[in-house]
Amino acid sequence: MYILTEQQNRLRQELRSFVDAEVSPRAAELDRAGVFPSALYAEIGRRGYLNAEFAYLGTGAAYGGVEGSIIIEELSRGLASLGLIVSPHFQCAELLSVAGSDRLKKLIAPARRGELLLAFAISEKRGGSDAMGVDTIAVRDGDRWILNGEKCWVTNSTVADGFIVTAKSPSSERSRSMSLFYVDKSAPGLKVPERDRMIGLNNSPMGRIIMDDCIIPADCLVGPENNAYPLVKPVLNEGRLDMAAVAVGISQAALEAACARAEKPGLYGRSLSSYQGVSFPIADIYTKTMLARNSLYSVASLMASGLPNTRDAAALKLFATESCCEICKSASQIFGAGGLTADSRVNRLFRDAQALTVAEGTSEICRIVVSNGLANLFN
């Protein structure tokens, strides 16, 4: 059992009170409307919950990886879209902190106050789950860069104030040669089409960005040219940790919903929990949630210590997200036909959970990462 510190427990209680008072009561309405929760995002920033670091140490953030995981978990317990919204924002703020130019570092403070929203744009249609599959081209032209390419599955696409994108310059020689760039939403040549329609996570807009002779200043290069992989790898692990935190938050919400339903009387005045057909699935839900949560904090602590975590972050993401889907299905079954209604809480949780097995590396990719990490044990 991972034991939280007194400060971490206080943070959890503070977040839980905020979510119960201001997020959960609005979650169903927000999900139906499918709008970006701008007021909630601003309030999260005002309360300091965007001031966290995960993969990189010493960025000046108020919270570390375990606290950051608690923040994403508790926000996701109320509305999973919030966890998905803040995850790439955390990643981008960290990248700017450790590798941004003086111009870009000025964005960090407003980003951590929730006055800006950042997006991480690395996926491309041809590359799929391969972060190194980059076709976007960046050409240096005097004191500016010209970018051409398209990114897909960009969280916060239509609402972000700026994007960190991956691109290759013509001088790229190695397969992993790529660069990072910050592209402001007002950059000439940047186009952001209408968001994609997804089955869940309706309040975190997902979509494409198109760079058509997109012009950005030279100092919008993040880190060294053609050597971004060492910068990107830690935040890819962070993204998997974040998706596990979202999954734990959804799982906890499903557990609470199932328990509340089981307390109600059924046939002959007996509570539903008196039937093993109901109590046993709830026991399984609790078990999977407890194991995923303790693993989450353990891997977050490992990451915050600067120790190798690629294999364990992938294993965590695989277990937490796959378990979350199973948990939400079980919770929905306990509600019977009521769990199938479009406006039911468990229906929303079930829909939201599905994307987590794909985001930040599919379950299949996670299995590849884990098995490769264990290759020395197979020989």
Side-chain angles (χ1 to χ4, degrees):
M1 178 72 71
Y2 191 95
I3 306 298
L4 296 178
T5 66
E6 182 178 344
Q7 180 184 15
Q8 290 165 345
N9 273 314
R10 282 201 304 269
L11 174 64
R12 177 191 291 287
Q13 292 306 317
E14 180 183 302
L15 277 157
R16 187 154 291 191
S17 297
F18 165 67
V19 168
D20 288 344
E22 300 191 37
V23 179
S24 295
R26 302 173 56 188
E29 177 186 353
L30 285 167
D31 179 64
R32 282 194 298 271
V35 297
F36 178 76
S38 54
L40 283 177
Y41 174 76
E43 181 62 16
I44 289 166
R46 189 190 70 78
R47 290 171 175 257
Y49 298 145
L50 297 176
N51 194 358
E53 62 184 16
F54 293 78
Y56 289 100
L57 309 179
T59 67
Y63 297 117
V66 175
E67 292 84 4
S69 296
I70 293 171
I71 290 169
I72 294 178
E73 174 194 344
E74 289 298 328
L75 292 176
S76 301
R77 185 180 67 88
L79 181 65
S81 291
L82 287 175
L84 196 67
I85 287 166
V86 303
S87 171
H89 183 79
F90 280 137
Q91 293 171 296
C92 291
E94 286 189 80
L95 285 170
L96 295 181
S97 296
V98 299
S101 63
D102 290 341
R103 171 206 291 263
L104 298 181
K105 287 185 186 295
K106 294 178 182 178
L107 302 174
I108 298 169
R112 287 177 169 167
R113 292 193 299 264
E115 297 165 6
L116 292 175
L117 178 63
L118 304 177
F120 197 25
I122 60 174
S123 295
E124 299 190 5
K125 287 184 178 180
R126 184 182 69 87
S129 293
D130 179 13
M132 302 299 105
V134 178
D135 289 328
T136 299
I137 298 297
V139 177
R140 181 70 181 262
D141 180 28
D143 61 352
R144 63 184 189 171
W145 289 91
I146 301 176
L147 277 61
N148 281 281
E150 180 177 334
K151 300 294 182 177
C152 58
W153 312 124
V154 180
T155 302
N156 302 333
S157 62
T158 57
V159 291
D161 295 291
F163 306 84
I164 290 185
V165 308
T166 50
K168 290 187 175 183
S169 52
S171 60
S172 298
E173 297 177 356
R174 295 173 293 118
S175 61
R176 290 191 171 187
S177 293
M178 64 179 185
S179 305
L180 289 175
F181 299 90
Y182 176 79
V183 180
D184 189 83
K185 69 177 181 180
S186 63
L190 177 68
K191 303 173 184 176
V192 183
E194 186 177 344
R195 62 181 288 180
D196 296 320
R197 291 176 59 86
M198 312 298 287
I199 66 169
L201 298 165
N202 291 330
N203 306 108
S204 47
M206 186 82 64
R208 298 176 295 138
I209 65 169
I210 300 169
M211 292 160 283
D212 184 7
D213 286 337
C214 179
I215 299 172
I216 59 174
D219 59 0
C220 284
L221 176 69
V222 180
E225 182 182 355
N226 288 332
N227 195 29
Y229 180 69
L231 283 173
V232 170
K233 184 177 178 181
V235 295
L236 291 178
N237 292 338
E238 176 185 337
R240 289 168 183 161
L241 180 86
D242 292 349
M243 292 306 99
V246 175
V248 172
I250 294 176
S251 298
Q252 178 65 33
L255 173 63
E256 293 171 4
C259 288
R261 179 70 182 95
E263 290 176 356
K264 295 184 177 180
L267 194 62
Y268 310 121
R270 293 176 58 182
S271 67
L272 295 179
S273 60
S274 66
Y275 297 93
Q276 291 180 343
V278 173
S279 62
F280 279 15
I282 291 178
D284 289 339
I285 290 173
Y286 171 80
T287 300
K288 292 173 183 175
T289 303
M290 181 270 294
L291 291 173
R293 176 179 290 115
N294 278 276
S295 297
L296 170 66
Y297 300 158
S298 178
V299 175
S301 179
L302 190 70
M303 188 175 292
S305 299
L307 297 173
N309 57 77
T310 299
R311 179 189 62 196
D312 290 345
L316 166 68
K317 196 264 181 183
L318 173 64
F319 175 75
T321 58
E322 293 282 349
S323 294
C324 182
C325 290
E326 296 167 2
I327 285 168
C328 291
K329 181 178 180 181
S330 294
S332 181
Q333 286 291 113
I334 291 171
F335 279 76
L340 301 178
T341 58
D343 289 337
S344 72
R345 183 185 184 189
V346 289
N347 178 281
R348 169 169 53 86
L349 297 173
F350 181 81
R351 288 186 284 105
D352 289 348
Q354 305 311 303
L356 301 182
T357 61
V358 175
E360 299 288 354
T362 64
S363 293
E364 291 73 22
I365 290 294
C366 287
R367 288 185 173 95
I368 291 173
V369 173
V370 173
S371 60
N372 287 345
L374 295 172
N376 62 323
L377 300 180
F378 298 154
N379 299 324

